[in-house]
């Protein structure tokens, strides 16, 4: 076995490299700069953590994600790898102490935010330490064409250029269109041919677009997937609060995270989520950057985000451990207006805004496409993909129901009511309600009154939502949009176009067996003892393999993915005791 594979096994407990890892590691050890583009959960960290062990000097990890640092450093220390971080959460004496450790060579890795490279203290340190490798995490932040540009990253490029002896640079990102990748290479002076791209496909993620009633779907989904960890994203604080309230009302264990909360509250909620004390986190996009909780089983977007880059990145927080997980987008046409509003409000150039509108349109088309959802995303990032076989479009082989007739009833009712009313009143007319408003407006005189008497009001409004999502009906702006017919809708009315509909279903993700639950409980106990998030001890994937293989000896235990020497020593005994009992 060669040296780096041996290290992979000894320190990280993995037998084989994932796609791209070995190539990137070898490039680094050959002193070549490299840009690695790997999907979330693809295993980017090992690409610099492993070389850090081999290289003599320090590995500087630049990451914009302060919340990630502690977690990463805890994980490394757990594996017996000396590492530390410096960021604004620390007091001055602590920073000095850690800088000292780095200068004396007591740590192999030092994590810092890009801003740190602008401080005098730090630049002074750089003069005294030999830095062999700089890992630039979330490297897309350096590009203005990316969706998350950070000016401090440009400074970083400057600092790197000012080094007397240039360390090896490894830039890593999970989201880069070809233009962004080119930009990263240029700004960090990485030869464009030194790109390792493993493909964006997340094979363990099943994408779904759901256009039915959000709240009903959400509650049903959470009921079906009780005990699984997940994130629910909303576009606004207000909507996050609303959903959080809704879940609490239904006794679902949920926390909330958004920029409007006090720092203290945010970090408490985040910790509760990381430590599996709460099941679901309801959040705005302020949450998640740097959350590397590996056992997130689902990410649900309760509202459409502004672009596919953000969507893929946020959705990609599900299933980092490689186990089957879901990414669900709940689509409602009105949510697009929120994103439009954000763009209008942004104080940026017209050119930038137009680019944002374009991105939003692509995002919207994702919600409407009939093609494989994973392939659609890959195509957006300039990659070819074959059908994933598990997204809601690929699985949509249930017979589509021809709802042309029902659609015609709805559309003709909307038309006869003058295209001046919202879905609830249209629903009332169609179901023949005796509501006062109906008689007041004399809608009971319409030929469409009571035309769908055998449907419930709710069923009709769901159909209306669907027809709106499919662009047969156009909603006006505002909270209670008025409906009018689109040109496609008119075609349906004229009998020139048919309408098909498939219902969304909710299924259970994984059936946990008893042993897995016992292992999970033990992990939680250990995590509480050590004040660590459970997944830092072992990932769900490792637990699952333990439950399947049921190792009985230390040697067998070591064969499990995710178990290295250090973890064997720390936890082997307790886990083996549990496994041997069975
Ligand atoms: P990324 O930063 O690319 O999103 P991480 O570096 O956090 O991904 O890795 C995701 C998960 O995959 C982690 O739990 C990590 O331990 C695991 N992992 C990384 N490399 C391997 C490997 N070669 N074999 C098995 N699991 C791996």
């Amino acid at each position: 076995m060669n040296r780096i594979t041996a290290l992979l096994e000894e320190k990280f407990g993995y037998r084989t490299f994932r796609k791209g890892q070995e190539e990137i590691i070898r490039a680094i050890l050959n002193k070549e700069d490299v840009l690695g583009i790997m999907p979330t959960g693809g295993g980017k960290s090992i690409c610099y953590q492993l070389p850090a062990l081999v290289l003599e000097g320090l590995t500087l990890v630049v990451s914009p994600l302060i919340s990630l640092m502690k977690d990463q450093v805890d994980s490394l220390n757990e594996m017996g790898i000396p590492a530390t971080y410096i960021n604004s959460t620390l007091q001055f004496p602590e920073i000095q102490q850690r800088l000292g450790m780095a200068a004396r060579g007591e740590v192999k890795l030092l994590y810092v935010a890009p801003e740190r490279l602008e401080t005098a203290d730090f630049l002074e340190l750089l003069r005294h330490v030999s830095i062999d490798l700089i890992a630039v995490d979330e490297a897309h932040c350096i590009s203005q064409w990316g969706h998350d540009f950070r000016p401090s990253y440009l400074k970083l490029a400057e600092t790197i250029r000012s080094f007397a002896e240039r360390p090896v640079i490894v830039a890593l990102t999970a989201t880069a269109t070809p233009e962004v990748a080119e930009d990263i290479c240029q700004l960090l002076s990485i030869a464009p041919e030194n790109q390792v791209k493993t493909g964006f496909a997340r094979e363990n993620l099943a994408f779904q677009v759901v256009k039915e009633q959000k709240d009903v779907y959400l509650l049903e989904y959470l009921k079906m997937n009780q005990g699984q960890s997940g994130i629910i994203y909303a576009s606004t604080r207000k909507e996050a609060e609303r959903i959080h309230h809704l879940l609490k009302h239904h006794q679902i264990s949920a926390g909330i995270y958004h920029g409007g909360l006090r720092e203290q509250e945010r970090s408490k909620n985040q910790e509760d989520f990381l430590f599996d004390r709460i099941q679901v986190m309801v959040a705005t996009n302020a949450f998640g950057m740097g959350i590397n909780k590996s056992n997130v089983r689902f990410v649900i977007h309760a509202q459409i985000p502004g672009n596919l880059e953000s969507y893929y990145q946020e959705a990609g927080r599900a299933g980092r451990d490689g186990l089957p997980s879901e990414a669900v987008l709940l689509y409602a046409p009105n949510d697009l207006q929120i994103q439009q509003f954000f763009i209008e409000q942004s104080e940026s150039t017209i050119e930038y805004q137009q680019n944002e509108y374009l991105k939003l349109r692509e995002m919207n088309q994702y919600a409407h496409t009939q093609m494989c959802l994973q392939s659609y995303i890959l195509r957006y990032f300039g990659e070819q993909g074959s059908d994933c076989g598990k997204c809601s479009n690929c699985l949509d082989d249930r017979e589509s129901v021809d709802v042309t007739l029902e659609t015609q009833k709805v559309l003709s009712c909307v038309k006869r009511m003058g295209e001046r009313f919202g879905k609830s009143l249209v629903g009332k007319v169609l179901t023949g309600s005796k509501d006062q408003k109906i008689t007041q407006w004399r809608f009971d005189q319409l030929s469409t009154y009571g035309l769908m008497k055998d449907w419930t009001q709710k069923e009709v409004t769901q159909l209306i939502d669907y027809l709106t999502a499919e662009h047969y009906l156009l909603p006006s702006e505002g909270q209670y949009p008025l409906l009018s017919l689109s040109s496609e809708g008119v075609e349906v009315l004229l009998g020139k176009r048919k309408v098909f509909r498939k219902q969304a279903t909710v299924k259970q993700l994984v059936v946990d067996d008893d042993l897995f639950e016992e292992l999970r409980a033990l992990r939680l106990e250990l995590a509480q003892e050590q004040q660590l998030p459970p997944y830092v001890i072992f990932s769900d994937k490792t637990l699952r393999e333990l439950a399947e293989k049921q190792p009985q000896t230390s040697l067998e235990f070591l064969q499990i993915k995710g178990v290295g020497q250090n973890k064997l020593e720390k936890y082997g005994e307790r886990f083996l005791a549990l496994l041997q009992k069975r």
Side-chain angles (χ1 to χ4, degrees), residues 8 12 14-18 21 38-49 72 137 174 292 294 320-322 539 541 561-562:
L8 179 72
F12 299 92
Y14 300 130
R15 282 272 182 79
T16 48
F17 282 107
R18 292 232 186 105
Q21 286 179 329
M38 292 165 102
T40 311
K44 286 185 285 298
S45 323
I46 283 181
C47 295
Y48 57 82
Q49 289 169 348
Q72 287 257 6
D137 206 4
N292 73 343
S294 67
R320 294 175 72 116
D321 54 12
S539 68
K541 194 166 181 171
K561 285 204 195 87

Side-chain angles (χ1 to χ4, degrees), residues 24-43:
I24 294 174
I25 291 169
R26 288 200 186 281
I28 294 172
L29 296 178
N30 282 334
K31 308 271 176 234
E32 279 170 28
D33 296 337
V34 55
L35 165 63
I37 307 175
M38 292 165 102
T40 311

Side-chain angles (χ1 to χ4, degrees), residues 348-365:
S348 41
T349 61
I350 303 257
E351 192 194 5
Y352 185 81
Q353 286 194 346
Q354 272 167 350
N355 193 28
E356 295 298 291
Y357 278 120
L358 203 72
K359 287 182 175 188
L360 181 59
R361 265 210 294 283
E362 293 268 5
M363 184 69 232
N364 187 34
Q365 278 162 22

Side-chain angles (χ1 to χ4, degrees), residues 20 89 127 332 393 455:
T89 65
R127 270 196 280 281
N393 285 352
W455 287 50

